[in-house]
Amino acid sequence: MIEIENITIGSVLKRLRLSMKFSQEELAARSSLDRTYISMLERNIKQPTITTVFLLANALNMKPSEFVQQLEEDFDGHIIKRTKV
Amino acid sequence: MIEIENITIGSVLKRLRLSMKFSQEELAARSSLDRTYISMLERNIKQPTITTVFLLANALNMKPSEFVQQLEEDFDGHIIKRTKV
DNA sequence: GTAGTCTACATACTATAGTCTACAAAATGG
DNA sequence: CCATTTTGTAGACTATAGTATGTAGACTAC
């Protein structure tokens, strides 16, 4: 069981984007998000809110739950570690 | 087609929490989130990040994608409206 | 009535989501 | 190779995610 701090969507997002043959610019336009933010998401610099997940999934012509399913598969066997100070 | 600004998880979250017979305190403990934040999520004062969605779903003994599916059903026929200034 | 449980709400804080501009570096296609 | 396109990155900004404490109201059980 691998401990992680956050769910990171970078690899899933990039894979799906490329499978649609979209540039980041194209995906940004389709999702009404900022192009540089797409870049940051793909590099796991930032994580999206639920609304952003919906926007991205819609832009990728898939259901948000399908997008999340992809994440589940990537993070199977991982546990999110929450630290208490 | 109804325009919305954000995906709000309040009604889904509360329904699922009650179906598990958890108090907000219980759900907070199981998800390692703050109790008052759970309250705010249920009242749609705040929206969660993807990591928080995973934490909540796990605490509710369901897959994150199932949780998101519930949201999809609630928001079927809605479109997220993004305003450009 | 009283104590305990549950939740809403206010307030304040830290960390970060998301936007935007500018520029540099990398990739691509002819 | 060169021009164009694409992506990474820095920096600054506004809005908000998430935490935490305290108070108050509602409800239930004894």
Side-chain angles (χ1 to χ4, degrees):
Chain A
M1 197 56 78
I2 307 171
E3 292 185 351
I4 54 172
E5 281 187 29
N6 286 302
I7 294 294
T8 51
I9 75 165
S11 55
V12 165
L13 182 59
K14 184 162 187 176
R15 188 176 77 231
L16 292 171
R17 173 174 67 83
L18 293 179
S19 76
M20 299 294 296
K21 298 188 166 44
F22 291 160
S23 64
Q24 289 181 347
E25 195 83 56
E26 174 78 34
L27 181 60
R30 295 176 62 96
S31 58
S32 302
L33 291 165
D34 196 75
R35 198 277 303 166
T36 59
Y37 181 60
I38 299 289
S39 175
M40 285 188 269
L41 287 174
E42 288 191 356
R43 288 172 291 135
N44 297 320
I45 292 175
K46 302 226 186 237
Q47 72 170 316
T49 60
I50 189 64
T51 298
T52 301
V53 168
F54 268 64
L55 287 169
L56 290 169
N58 292 340
L60 291 163
N61 292 319
M62 65 195 302
K63 290 189 178 177
S65 57
E66 287 167 7
F67 185 92
V68 173
Q69 245 173 341
Q70 295 287 316
L71 295 175
E72 278 164 20
E73 286 166 20
D74 268 23
F75 287 96
D76 193 30
H78 290 68
I79 186 171
I80 307 173
K81 171 75 177 186
R82 302 279 286 176
T83 56
K84 290 282 174 83
V85 290
Chain B
M1 195 59 78
I2 307 171
E3 293 186 350
I4 55 172
E5 280 188 29
N6 286 302
I7 294 293
T8 50
I9 76 166
S11 55
V12 165
L13 181 60
K14 183 162 186 176
R15 189 177 76 232
L16 293 171
R17 173 175 66 85
L18 293 180
S19 76
M20 299 293 295
K21 296 187 168 47
F22 290 159
S23 64
Q24 290 181 347
E25 195 84 55
E26 175 77 34
L27 181 60
R30 294 177 63 97
S31 56
S32 302
L33 291 165
D34 194 75
R35 203 278 303 163
T36 59
Y37 181 58
I38 299 288
S39 174
M40 285 188 271
L41 288 174
E42 288 192 356
R43 287 172 291 138
N44 296 320
I45 291 175
K46 300 222 187 242
Q47 72 170 315
T49 59
I50 189 65
T51 298
T52 300
V53 168
F54 268 64
L55 287 170
L56 290 170
N58 292 339
L60 291 164
N61 293 319
M62 63 195 303
K63 289 188 180 177
S65 57
E66 287 168 7
F67 186 91
V68 172
Q69 243 172 342
Q70 294 288 315
L71 294 175
E72 277 165 20
E73 285 167 21
D74 268 22
F75 287 95
D76 193 31
H78 290 68
I79 187 171
I80 308 174
K81 171 74 178 188
R82 303 278 287 177
T83 55
K84 290 284 176 78
V85 290

